[in-house]
C-alpha cells in the first residue's frame, strides 16, 4: 500500500499571533514553525496503515526551502521519502490542490491522507478539492470511536481500516450530532480530525536516518500548474477585544451579577 | 440579475438543520449587497416537507431534487447535482452553513465550478462586484477580509454570526429539477447519533462546559445545565480522554458557539478552545488556577474548585425562580 501524506509548514499553534499595524499580514518575528498538527496526525495514520498492511509513506510539502524542516520531521517519524514542491509566495487552496493533483498523478498512491485543515488558513478545503480533481471518493474528518487514551491507541492500531478485500477503506467520521461511517474505494482521499490518533515522537535513530532520506524537488512550472491565487487577502485585523472582566469572591456575588448586571439568569 | 444560491441541509432525522436558516439570512444579506436574487436548493429522498418550510424564508425560488440516493448524504452524489444546478442558473455565489456537511460538500462543489472558496464567513462587506468576506484565520486570532476573484464564488457561513431567517413569510416558487445521480465510489455504512435531551450545542441560549478540572466527572456540569436548560460542552482534553462524546467539543476545530451565557468550569482556556466560545455574550470562568488563560476572556471569574462552586451555583439559581 502506498500512502501519500502532507506536511504543511505552519506557525506553532502555541505561539501568539499578532497582526501587523498596517493589516498586511502577521508579525513573523519570534514565531516558531511546525508541521500542521492535523497533517502530523495524517503522517501517523499513514505510518500505522503501512506498518499493518505493508507499503510505504511518501510525504509532500509545498513552499520555500524552509519546508524541508517539516519534511525531515515526517521522515524522522518514519516516512520513506519526500517530495518538495519549491514555491515562494502566496498560494490558495485551488492552487495547492492542483499541485497535489499532479504529485498524486506522478506518485500514484492508493491513499492520500491530509489534515482536515491547516491551522493558519483554517479553510478546510484542500482534501475535498483534491478528491474532486482526481475523481476519487473522500472521507473527511476521520476520527476514532474509542478514547485517545485507549489500549488500541497505545498499540498504535490504525483507525482507518482496510476492508477484507483490500480494495476500500472504512472510515469513522466526526459529523454533527454523532459519528458517520463510510466505505470508500481505493484510491481515496482521507482528511484527519484531531482525535484520529496521537502522533509518535521521532526517535533519535529516526532523526539520524531522516537526514539521508531522499527529498525530490519539483516546482509548479515542472508540474505545469498555474498557481496564481484567486483569493486575495485584502486586510487582516485583530478580533475585537473583550472588555476586561472581573473576579468575583463567591457564588452569591456571581449569581447577583448574572441576575442583575448581565441579566442572563 | 446575479444569483446567490444557498444550500439547505436536511438532518438524518428528516428535519431542517437550523444552521441552514442562518445561512439563508447570510445569503439575503449577500444578495442585497450584490444586487442579486436569493435562491435555495435542497436535495433529499423526499424534499416536499422541507421545501414547504423553506418557501417562507423570503427567497425567490426553492429548487428541489428527489432521489433515493439522496437519503444518506455523500459529497460525491450531492456535489455534482448542486454544481449542475448552479451552472444552469448561472449562479454567481453558492453558499451553505459551516456544518460538518457544509465543510465536506462545498469545496467539492467549488472544485467542479472552478471556484475559489471562503470558509466560515463571519461578515459580508462592500457591494456590487466588490463584495468581500470577513473570515477567521489562525484559530480566530486574525480576521481576514478576502476577495474571491473566480467567476463563481463559493462560501460557508459561520451560523453564530448571522440571525436565523424567519419562516412563514413570502412564498417562493418551488421548482423541481432532475439531478443526475453519478455512480459513487463511496458507500454510506451507518450513522451513530449521540442522543441528548438537552438543546443542541450551537443553538443553545446557555452552555455549561467542563474541562480537565472535572477529571471526567460531568455530573455537576450536567445538573447545572439541566437547571438552566443549557447544552453541555467540553474542552478538547476531556473529549480526547473519552470522558464525553467528541461532538460536545467546543473550539476552533470542534463546535463554535456564541450563547447568551457560557459557563466554563475547570477549563484552562487553550487558544483553540477560546476561538470556539469567545463570541459568547457573557462568559463565566470557574477554575482553581488563578493564572488560567480562560480568565482573560471571562466577564466573571471565580477562583475556586468547581466541585464546590457548581452545586452552590445550581441551588442559588434555582432559588431565583
Amino acid at each position: 500500500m502506498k500512502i501519500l501524506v502532507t506536511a504543511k509548514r505552519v506557525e506553532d499553534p502555541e505561539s501568539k499571533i499578532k497582526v501587523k499595524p498596517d493589516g498586511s499580514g502577521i508579525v513573523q518575528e519570534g514565531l516558531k514553525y511546525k508541521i500542521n498538527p492535523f497533517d502530523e496526525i495524517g503522517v501517523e495514520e499513514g505510518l500505522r496503515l503501512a506498518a499493518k498492511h505493508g507499503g510505504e509513506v511518501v510525504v509532500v510539502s509545498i513552499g520555500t526551502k524552509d519546508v524541508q524542516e517539516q519534511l525531515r520531521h515526517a521522515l524522522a517519524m518514519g516516512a520513506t521519502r519526500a517530495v518538495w514542491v519549491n514555491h515562494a509566495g502566496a498560494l490558495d487552496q485551488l492552487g495547492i490542490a492542483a499541485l497535489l493533483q499532479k504529485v498524486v498523478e506522478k506518485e500514484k498512491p492508493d491513499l492520500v491522507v491530509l489534515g482536515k485543515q491547516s491551522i493558519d488558513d483554517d479553510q478546510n478545503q484542500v482534501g475535498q478539492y483534491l478528491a474532486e480533481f482526481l475523481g476519487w471518493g473522500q472521507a473527511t474528518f476521520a476520527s476514532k470511536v474509542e478514547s485517545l487514551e485507549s489500549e488500541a491507541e497505545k498499540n498504535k492500531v490504525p483507525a482507518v481500516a482496510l476492508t477484507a478485500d483490500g480494495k476500500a477503506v472504512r472510515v469513522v467520521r466526526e459529523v454533527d450530532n454523532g459519528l458517520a461511517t463510510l466505505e470508500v474505494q481505493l484510491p481515496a482521499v482521507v482528511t484527519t480530525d484531531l482525535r484520529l490518533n496521537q502522533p509518535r515522537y521521532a526517535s533519535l535513530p529516526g532523526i539520524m536516518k531522516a537526514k539521508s532520506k531522499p527529498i525530490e524537488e519539483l516546482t509548479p512550472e515542472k508540474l505545469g500548474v498555474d498557481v496564481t491565487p484567486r483569493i486575495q487577502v485584502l486586510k487582516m485585523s485583530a478580533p475585537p477585544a473583550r472588555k476586561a472582566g472581573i473576579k468575583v469572591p463567591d457564588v452569591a456575588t456571581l449569581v447577583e451579577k448574572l441576575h442583575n448586571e448581565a441579566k442572563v439568569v | 440579475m446575479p444569483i446567490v444560491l444557498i444550500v439547505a441541509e436536511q438532518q438524518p432525522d428528516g428535519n431542517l438543520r437550523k444552521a441552514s436558516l442562518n445561512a439563508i439570512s447570510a445569503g439575503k444579506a449577500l444578495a442585497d449587497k450584490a444586487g442579486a436574487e436569493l435562491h435555495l436548493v435542497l436535495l433529499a429522498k423526499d424534499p416536499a416537507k422541507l421545501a414547504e418550510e423553506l418557501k417562507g424564508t423570503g427567497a425567490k425560488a426553492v429548487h428541489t431534487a428527489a432521489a433515493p440516493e439522496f437519503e444518506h448524504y455523500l459529497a460525491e452524489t450531492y456535489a455534482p447535482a448542486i454544481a449542475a444546478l448552479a451552472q444552469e442558473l448561472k449562479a454567481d455565489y453558492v453558499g451553505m452553513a459551516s456544518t460538518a456537511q457544509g465543510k465536506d460538500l462545498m469545496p467539492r462543489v467549488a472544485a467542479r465550478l472552478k471556484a475559489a472558496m471562503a470558509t466560515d464567513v463571519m461578515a459580508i462587506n462592500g457591494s456590487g462586484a466588490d463584495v468581500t468576506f470577513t473570515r477567521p484565520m489562525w484559530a480566530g486570532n486574525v480576521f481576514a477580509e478576502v476577495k474571491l476573484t473566480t467567476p463563481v464564488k463559493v462560501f460557508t457561513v459561520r451560523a453564530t454570526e448571522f440571525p436565523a431567517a424567519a419562516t412563514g413569510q413570502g412564498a417562493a416558487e418551488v421548482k423541481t429539477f432532475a439531478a443526475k445521480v453519478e455512480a459513487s465510489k463511496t458507500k454510506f455504512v451507518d450513522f451513530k447519533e449521540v442522543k441528548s435531551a438537552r438543546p443542541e450545542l450551537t443553538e443553545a441560549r446557555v452552555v455549561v462546559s467542563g474541562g480537565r478540572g472535572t477529571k471526567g466527572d460531568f455530573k455537576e456540569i450536567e445538573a447545572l445545565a439541566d437547571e438552566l436548560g443549557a447544552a453541555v460542552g467540553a474542552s478538547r482534553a476531556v473529549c480526547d480522554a473519552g470522558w464525553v462524546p467528541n461532538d460536545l467539543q467546543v473550539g476552533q476545530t470542534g463546535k463554535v458557539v456564541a450563547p447568551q451565557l457560557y459557563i466554563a468550569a475547570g477549563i484552562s482556556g487553550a487558544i483553540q478552545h477560546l476561538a470556539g466560545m469567545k463570541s459568547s455574550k457573557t462568559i463565566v470562568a470557574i477554575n482553581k488556577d488563578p493564572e488560567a488563560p480562560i480568565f482573560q476572556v471571562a466577564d466573571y471569574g471565580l477562583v475556586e474548585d468547581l466541585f464546590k462552586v457548581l452545586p452552590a451555583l445550581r441551588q442559588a439559581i434555582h432559588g431565583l425562580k
Side-chain angles (χ1 to χ4, degrees):
Chain A
M1 192 175 196
K2 184 168 174 179
I3 302 157
L4 185 74
V5 297
T6 50
K8 187 176 182 183
R9 179 180 172 87
V10 296
E11 290 74 18
D12 185 326
E14 300 302 320
S15 51
K16 183 103 184 103
I17 302 292
K18 283 198 209 107
V19 179
K20 284 185 195 164
D22 68 356
S24 65
I26 59 163
V27 178
Q28 308 279 337
E29 285 79 45
L31 285 180
K32 283 195 213 123
Y33 293 85
K34 276 195 155 174
I35 179 172
N36 176 37
F38 290 100
D39 284 344
E40 191 176 31
I41 291 167
V43 175
E44 176 65 37
E45 197 66 16
L47 291 171
R48 290 182 189 189
L49 280 163
K52 186 168 178 188
H53 303 289
E56 65 163 344
V57 175
V58 178
V59 58
V60 56
S61 191
I62 307 168
T64 62
K65 201 171 192 315
D66 291 338
V67 307
Q68 292 196 6
E69 202 183 311
Q70 281 62 49
L71 290 173
R72 294 281 176 212
H73 177 89
L75 292 171
M77 286 173 74
T80 318
R81 59 194 177 79
V83 176
W84 165 38
V85 182
N86 185 354
H87 176 73
L91 281 172
D92 62 12
Q93 286 65 39
L94 269 170
I96 296 166
L99 289 171
L100 291 178
Q101 182 192 358
K102 293 293 172 187
V103 172
V104 167
E105 284 165 3
K106 205 168 157 297
E107 291 287 336
K108 300 185 174 56
D110 302 291
L111 188 66
V112 182
V113 188
L114 315 86
K116 73 168 181 178
Q117 70 197 66
S118 61
I119 57 128
D120 48 3
D121 291 330
D122 282 330
Q123 284 271 55
N124 196 328
Q125 297 173 3
V126 170
Q128 296 91 310
Y129 268 114
L130 177 64
E132 177 61 37
F133 286 165
L134 292 163
W136 293 6
Q138 73 186 41
T140 55
F141 324 145
S143 189
K144 71 191 324 170
V145 182
E146 73 270 22
S147 153
L148 276 183
E149 294 171 4
S150 67
E151 281 308 306
E153 178 60 24
K154 281 174 195 143
N155 293 325
K156 302 211 180 306
V157 177
V160 172
L162 204 57
T163 53
D165 64 4
K167 287 181 179 156
V169 282
R170 189 174 268 242
V171 181
V172 176
R173 308 176 54 232
E174 275 187 44
V175 296
D176 295 325
N177 308 94
L179 294 169
T181 305
L182 294 182
E183 216 169 271
V184 195
Q185 277 174 41
L186 297 176
V189 171
V190 169
T191 77
T192 62
D193 219 317
L194 282 172
R195 291 185 73 237
L196 185 62
N197 61 47
Q198 301 269 33
R200 69 195 64 190
Y201 290 104
S203 65
L204 191 58
I207 294 166
M208 296 309 290
K209 256 195 256 171
K211 290 184 177 163
S212 57
K213 287 180 180 173
I215 297 181
E216 181 188 0
E217 183 182 343
L218 296 167
T219 61
E221 295 73 39
K222 263 190 229 171
L223 293 168
V225 178
D226 174 9
V227 291
T228 312
R230 279 138 291 190
I231 300 177
Q232 292 172 359
V233 180
L234 303 177
K235 190 171 183 272
M236 291 191 192
S237 54
R242 284 189 76 87
K243 65 168 174 54
I246 56 162
K247 293 249 170 75
V248 291
D250 50 42
V251 169
T253 317
L254 176 62
V255 173
E256 189 274 316
K257 295 274 183 200
L258 290 176
H259 188 59
N260 297 319
E261 200 173 84
K263 300 189 182 0
V264 284
V265 296
Chain B
M1 199 177 211
I3 284 177
V4 175
L5 180 64
I6 297 290
V7 183
E9 178 180 342
Q10 186 178 36
Q11 297 180 158
D13 67 6
N15 292 318
L16 182 70
R17 192 170 294 286
K18 288 215 179 80
S20 299
L21 295 173
N22 306 78
I24 290 168
S25 73
K28 263 187 212 164
L30 172 59
D32 286 346
K33 285 177 190 284
E37 252 173 26
L38 177 65
H39 290 229
L40 309 179
V41 55
L42 174 71
L43 305 181
K45 187 181 169 199
D46 176 16
K49 184 176 142 269
L50 292 195
E52 274 306 305
E53 197 175 338
L54 293 169
K55 223 167 97 172
T57 55
K60 175 87 178 160
V62 179
H63 303 268
T64 65
E69 290 85 350
F70 293 151
E71 181 178 7
H72 299 296
Y73 160 79
L74 288 174
E76 262 178 282
T77 51
Y78 274 46
I82 290 163
L85 176 71
Q87 279 168 329
E88 193 192 311
L89 294 173
K90 299 194 171 57
D92 302 84
Y93 294 91
V94 187
M96 188 171 175
S98 276
T99 56
Q101 193 179 116
K103 288 182 173 183
D104 183 57
L105 173 62
M106 294 314 275
R108 201 145 180 149
V109 171
R112 285 187 90 91
L113 297 170
K114 308 255 179 301
M117 175 172 164
T119 298
D120 284 335
V121 167
M122 305 169 76
I124 298 154
N125 326 292
S127 64
D130 290 321
V131 163
T132 63
F133 295 119
T134 301
R135 59 172 304 271
M137 293 173 76
W138 287 280
N141 283 297
V142 175
F143 288 180
E145 187 184 346
V146 301
K147 187 173 164 93
L148 308 181
T149 62
T150 46
V152 184
K153 298 150 182 51
V154 174
F155 61 99
T156 61
V157 169
R158 182 168 280 185
T160 52
E161 303 294 326
F162 296 89
T167 51
Q169 45 161 4
E173 193 185 346
V174 177
K175 297 179 176 185
T176 56
F177 70 102
K180 185 169 160 265
V181 181
E182 295 190 1
S184 173
K185 298 185 175 82
T186 309
K187 199 171 80 191
F188 171 86
V189 178
D190 65 19
F191 171 63
K192 287 199 182 70
E193 190 180 0
V194 180
K195 279 208 171 38
S196 169
R198 300 188 184 92
E200 219 276 306
L201 198 45
T202 53
E203 293 160 9
R205 201 187 67 87
V206 181
V207 174
V208 184
S209 281
R212 272 275 179 212
T214 63
K215 299 180 180 71
D217 179 358
F218 262 56
K219 278 203 274 310
E220 285 301 334
I221 302 273
E222 288 170 352
L224 177 60
D226 291 341
E227 177 62 42
L228 287 163
V232 169
S235 69
R236 187 190 162 195
V238 305
C239 296
D240 280 359
W243 293 339
V244 299
N246 195 51
D247 71 327
L248 298 189
Q249 187 188 322
V250 172
Q252 173 71 2
T253 57
K255 298 274 168 68
V256 175
V257 301
Q260 294 292 305
L261 173 61
Y262 188 90
I263 301 176
I267 291 178
S268 65
I271 290 173
Q272 98 90 26
H273 184 79
L274 300 183
M277 46 63 82
K278 68 183 175 190
S279 305
S280 306
K281 189 165 167 279
T282 300
I283 296 174
V284 172
I286 300 154
N287 203 304
K288 273 195 293 196
D289 174 10
E291 303 303 319
I294 189 78
F295 288 118
Q296 290 165 19
V297 300
D299 299 286
Y300 306 110
L302 183 49
V303 183
E304 180 64 275
D305 182 358
L306 70 97
F307 290 104
K308 282 188 195 144
V309 172
L310 294 181
L313 185 56
R314 173 163 48 88
Q315 278 155 23
I317 289 169
H318 189 76
L320 289 174
K321 290 180 183 168

